[in-house]
Coordinates of all heavy atoms in Angstrom, one line a residue:
S121 N -22.7 47.7 5.6 CA -23.6 46.3 5.5 C -23.7 45.9 4.0 O -23.4 44.9 3.7 CB -24.8 46.5 6.2 OG -24.6 46.9 7.6
S124 N -20.6 44.8 2.3 CA -20.2 43.4 2.5 C -21.2 42.4 1.9 O -20.8 41.2 1.6 CB -20.1 43.1 4.0 OG -21.5 43.1 4.6
Q152 N -32.0 42.6 4.3 CA -31.4 43.1 5.6 C -31.6 44.5 5.6 O -31.3 45.3 4.7 CB -30.0 42.8 5.5 CG -29.4 42.8 7.0 CD -27.9 42.6 7.0 OE1 -27.3 42.5 5.9 NE2 -27.2 42.7 8.1
H154 N -30.3 47.3 7.1 CA -29.2 48.2 6.9 C -28.7 48.1 5.5 O -27.7 49.1 5.2 CB -28.1 47.9 8.0 CG -28.7 48.2 9.4 ND1 -29.5 47.2 9.9 CD2 -28.7 49.2 10.2 CE1 -29.8 47.7 11.1 NE2 -29.3 48.9 11.3
V205 N -35.9 45.9 9.8 CA -34.7 46.5 10.5 C -34.8 46.3 12.0 O -33.7 46.4 12.6 CB -34.6 48.0 10.1 CG1 -35.6 48.8 11.0 CG2 -33.2 48.4 10.4
S206 N -35.8 45.9 12.6 CA -35.7 45.5 14.0 C -35.2 44.1 14.1 O -35.9 43.2 13.6 CB -37.1 45.6 14.7 OG -37.0 45.3 16.0
M207 N -33.9 43.9 14.5 CA -33.2 42.7 14.4 C -34.0 41.6 14.8 O -34.5 41.7 16.0 CB -31.9 42.8 15.0 CG -31.0 44.0 14.8 SD -29.7 43.5 13.7 CE -30.2 44.6 12.4
G243 N -28.1 39.5 9.2 CA -26.7 39.7 9.6 C -26.3 38.6 10.6 O -27.1 37.9 11.3
D244 N -25.0 38.3 10.7 CA -24.5 37.4 11.8 C -24.7 37.9 13.1 O -25.2 37.2 13.9 CB -23.0 37.0 11.4 CG -22.1 38.1 11.3 OD1 -22.5 39.2 11.3 OD2 -20.9 37.8 11.1
G245 N -24.6 39.2 13.3 CA -24.9 39.8 14.7 C -26.4 39.6 15.0 O -26.7 39.4 16.1
E246 N -27.2 39.7 13.9 CA -28.5 39.5 14.2 C -29.0 38.1 14.7 O -30.1 38.0 15.3 CB -29.4 39.8 12.8 CG -30.8 39.7 12.9 CD -31.5 40.3 11.6 OE1 -30.8 40.3 10.6 OE2 -32.8 40.6 11.6
E249 N -30.3 37.5 18.4 CA -31.6 37.7 18.8 C -32.3 36.4 19.0 O -32.3 35.6 18.1 CB -32.5 38.6 17.8 CG -31.9 40.1 17.7 CD -32.5 41.0 18.8 OE1 -33.1 40.5 19.8 OE2 -32.2 42.1 18.7
N272 N -25.3 36.8 6.4 CA -24.1 37.5 5.9 C -23.1 37.4 7.1 O -23.1 38.3 7.9 CB -24.4 38.9 5.5 CG -23.3 39.7 5.1 OD1 -22.1 39.2 4.9 ND2 -23.4 41.0 5.1
N274 N -20.2 38.6 8.2 CA -18.9 39.5 8.1 C -18.2 39.5 9.3 O -17.4 40.3 9.5 CB -19.4 40.8 7.5 CG -20.4 41.4 8.3 OD1 -20.5 41.2 9.5 ND2 -21.2 42.3 7.7
Q276 N -18.7 40.7 12.1 CA -18.9 42.0 12.9 C -20.3 42.3 13.1 O -21.2 42.0 12.1 CB -18.2 43.2 12.3 CG -16.7 43.0 12.2 CD -16.0 44.0 11.3 OE1 -15.3 44.0 10.4 NE2 -16.3 45.3 11.9
R277 N -20.6 42.9 14.2 CA -21.9 43.6 14.5 C -21.7 45.1 14.4 O -20.9 45.6 13.7 CB -22.6 42.9 15.6 CG -21.8 42.6 16.8 CD -22.5 41.8 17.9 NE -21.7 41.5 19.0 CZ -21.8 40.5 19.8 NH1 -22.6 39.6 19.5 NH2 -20.9 40.4 20.7
L278 N -22.4 45.7 15.4 CA -22.2 47.2 15.5 C -21.0 47.6 16.3 O -20.1 48.5 15.8 CB -23.4 47.9 16.1 CG -23.6 49.4 15.9 CD1 -25.0 49.8 16.0 CD2 -22.9 50.1 17.1
V282 N -18.5 39.7 16.1 CA -19.7 38.9 16.7 C -19.2 37.7 17.6 O -19.8 37.7 18.7 CB -20.5 38.3 15.5 CG1 -21.7 37.3 16.0 CG2 -21.0 39.4 14.5
K406 N -16.9 43.0 6.3 CA -17.7 44.1 6.6 C -17.0 45.5 6.1 O -15.8 45.7 6.3 CB -17.9 44.3 8.1 CG -19.0 45.4 8.5 CD -19.9 45.1 9.5 CE -20.9 46.2 9.8 NZ -22.0 45.7 10.7
H421 N -19.4 49.9 11.0 CA -20.9 49.9 11.0 C -21.4 51.4 11.0 O -22.4 51.6 10.3 CB -21.5 49.1 12.1 CG -22.9 48.9 12.0 ND1 -23.5 48.0 11.2 CD2 -24.0 49.7 12.5 CE1 -24.9 47.9 11.2 NE2 -25.2 49.0 12.0
D622 N -43.0 44.8 19.7 CA -42.3 45.2 18.5 C -43.0 44.6 17.2 O -42.9 45.1 16.2 CB -40.8 45.0 18.6 CG -40.0 45.9 17.8 OD1 -40.4 46.8 17.2 OD2 -38.8 45.6 17.7
Ligands
LIG1001 C1 -33.7 44.8 17.8 C2 -32.6 45.8 17.4 N1 -31.6 46.1 18.2 C3 -30.6 46.9 17.9 C4 -30.6 47.5 16.6 C5 -29.4 48.5 16.2 N2 -28.4 47.9 15.2 C6 -28.6 48.1 14.0 S1 -27.5 47.2 12.9 C7 -26.8 46.5 14.3 C8 -25.6 45.6 14.0 C9 -25.9 44.6 12.9 O1 -25.0 43.7 12.9 P1 -25.3 42.4 11.8 O2 -26.5 41.9 12.1 O3 -24.0 41.5 12.0 O4 -25.3 43.1 10.5 P2 -24.2 43.6 9.5 O5 -24.4 45.1 9.4 O6 -22.8 43.3 10.0 O7 -24.4 42.9 8.2 C10 -27.5 46.9 15.6 C11 -27.0 46.6 16.9 C12 -31.6 47.2 15.8 N3 -31.7 47.6 14.4 N4 -32.6 46.2 16.1

Side-chain angles (χ1 to χ4, degrees):
S121 300
S124 71
Q152 201 190 357
H154 298 78
V205 80
S206 180
M207 313 253 118
D244 47 0
E246 186 171 13
E249 290 284 4
N272 176 16
N274 56 25
Q276 291 176 241
R277 46 190 174 204
L278 192 151
V282 179
K406 187 136 181 172
H421 191 85
D622 208 2

